[in-house]
Amino acid sequence: MTDTEGAADAPDASQAPVTKLSPKDRHERISDRVLAEGQVTIEELVQELGVSQMTVHRDLDTLEHQGWLRKVRGGATAAPSALFESTARWRGNEQVAAKEAICEAALALAEPGQAVIIDDSSTALPLARSLASRGAFTVITNSLQVINELAEEPDIRVIALGGEYHAAFNAFLGMSTADIARSFRADIAFLSTSAVDNGHCYHQAQENVLVKRALMAAARRKVLLVDHSKFGRQALYELAPLADFDLVISDEHLPQEEQEALQSLGVRYELATERSRRG
C-alpha cells in the first residue's frame, strides 16, 4: 500500500463526531464556564457543546431557575442584578481582600464562650475560618460551608439550621429554616446583604430575607458586614434598615458620600483597613 493510499484511508480528525454530553454534564460545563469567565455567549456554547441553540436555551433556563446564572441577551452571566444573586462560588472570589479585612475587624467583637450566629454570606466566611483561633464558641449557622469549616474544630460547637438546601447558595433557606432560627437566642449575629440603598439593605431572594430576619431576631447584638461594592446597588426585597444593626462594618474603599449618608442616618459604622495597606 502506498503512502497516498494510506492517507486516503485514514479518518479525517476534523470530521470526528463531538462527544454527546448528558444534560447533567452540559449543565456542569456551562455553569463552570460562566463562573470562571463571568459570562458566556449562546454561540460559544453551541460550538463547545455541539448542540442546537434551542438546547442551549433550555439548559440556561434550567440553570437560571436553579440559581447558577442569569440569562441575558445572547448569553448568560454570573454577575448579580436586582433580581439575581450570584452563586456562593462566584461571590467567594469577589472583593476577597475587603472581606478579609472586614472579618478581621469583626473577630474582635466575638468573645470566647459566646453563642455566635454566622449567615450564609461569602462576606462572613473568613470570620468563621478565624473564629476557632480565638477560643471556644457555639456557632449557629445556615451555611453548609461554615458547617464544614468548623465541624472538626474541637473548641467550636456547631448548631446547623436545617431546612431546604439550595445548592447555588450552599445553604439552607426558606420558611422552615427561619422557623428553626427563631427558636435560638445568641449573643451576636454577623450577617451580610446583597445591596445597600438609601439607608436600607436588600436581597434578591425572598427565602434569604426570611432567614436573615429570623437570625437578626435571634441575636442580642447585630453586626452587618458589607463591603463597599454593595452600596448603591439594588435588589428586590428589603431586609432591614441599617439602623436596625448595632454596627455596620465596611472597608476603607467606601465612598465619602456613603460615609456621610451613614452619619446623617445615625448609623454606627467602622471601616476596616486591608492588611496589605497597613504596611
Side-chain angles (χ1 to χ4, degrees):
M1 181 174 65
T2 66
D3 292 342
T4 302
E5 292 172 334
D9 294 337
D12 186 352
S14 65
Q15 298 177 357
V18 177
T19 301
K20 186 174 182 180
L21 299 173
S22 68
K24 179 181 178 182
D25 290 337
R26 289 199 312 271
H27 295 168
E28 289 180 355
R29 184 172 293 189
I30 292 170
S31 59
D32 285 345
R33 180 158 181 192
V34 173
L35 290 170
E37 300 179 14
Q39 61 183 15
V40 67
T41 69
I42 289 174
E43 288 301 324
E44 288 171 342
L45 293 175
V46 168
Q47 293 297 319
E48 179 178 339
L49 302 174
V51 295
S52 67
Q53 286 194 5
M54 184 176 295
T55 297
V56 170
H57 274 288
R58 285 198 298 264
D59 288 342
L60 294 180
D61 287 338
T62 298
L63 291 169
E64 183 175 50
H65 178 73
Q66 294 173 351
W68 291 106
L69 50 78
R70 174 166 58 96
K71 280 187 75 175
V72 295
R73 184 178 179 86
T77 178
S81 71
L83 298 176
F84 171 76
E85 169 64 309
S86 301
T87 68
R89 284 172 56 190
W90 173 263
R91 287 180 285 118
N93 293 321
E94 294 290 295
Q95 302 294 336
V96 174
K99 291 174 182 177
E100 290 177 347
I102 289 169
C103 286
E104 187 173 344
L107 186 63
L109 303 175
E111 300 178 6
Q114 286 185 331
V116 175
I117 289 172
I118 300 177
D119 73 356
D120 61 293
S121 63
S122 63
T123 305
L125 187 58
L127 173 64
R129 290 169 173 160
S130 301
L131 205 59
S133 65
R134 189 164 172 79
F137 290 91
T138 295
V139 174
I140 302 166
T141 184
N142 66 313
S143 166
L144 183 58
Q145 193 164 359
V146 171
I147 294 168
N148 291 334
E149 289 281 349
L150 298 177
E152 297 184 7
E153 293 291 344
D155 292 331
I156 304 294
R157 178 191 179 202
V158 179
I159 297 177
L161 302 178
E164 183 179 354
Y165 177 69
H166 291 243
F169 296 102
N170 202 14
F172 299 93
L173 300 168
M175 185 65 71
S176 58
T177 307
D179 288 341
I180 298 168
R182 278 189 284 268
S183 68
F184 292 97
R185 286 296 177 267
D187 295 289
I188 188 167
F190 296 101
L191 305 99
S192 190
T193 190
S194 299
V196 177
D197 186 54
N198 197 27
H200 295 254
C201 48
Y202 298 84
H203 201 282
Q204 297 92 337
Q206 193 171 31
E207 56 267 30
N208 290 73
V209 170
L210 287 172
V211 173
K212 288 177 185 287
R213 285 180 178 171
L215 294 175
M216 291 176 65
R220 180 177 58 84
R221 190 179 186 195
K222 295 167 280 293
V223 180
L224 181 67
L225 312 179
V226 55
D227 72 77
H228 70 279
S229 70
K230 307 293 178 59
F231 285 79
R233 283 188 183 177
Q234 293 183 335
L236 185 60
Y237 299 101
E238 181 184 356
L239 170 58
L242 294 178
D244 283 3
F245 292 89
D246 297 283
L247 179 64
V248 174
I249 304 179
S250 189
D251 61 273
E252 60 185 332
H253 302 294
L254 184 67
Q256 184 63 38
E257 59 268 26
E258 296 291 355
Q259 297 181 42
E260 293 172 357
L262 293 177
Q263 293 170 4
S264 67
L265 293 168
V267 175
R268 184 175 173 229
Y269 73 96
E270 177 181 341
L271 300 183
T273 303
E274 295 176 12
R275 186 182 298 273
S276 60
R277 293 170 65 93
R278 295 175 197 161

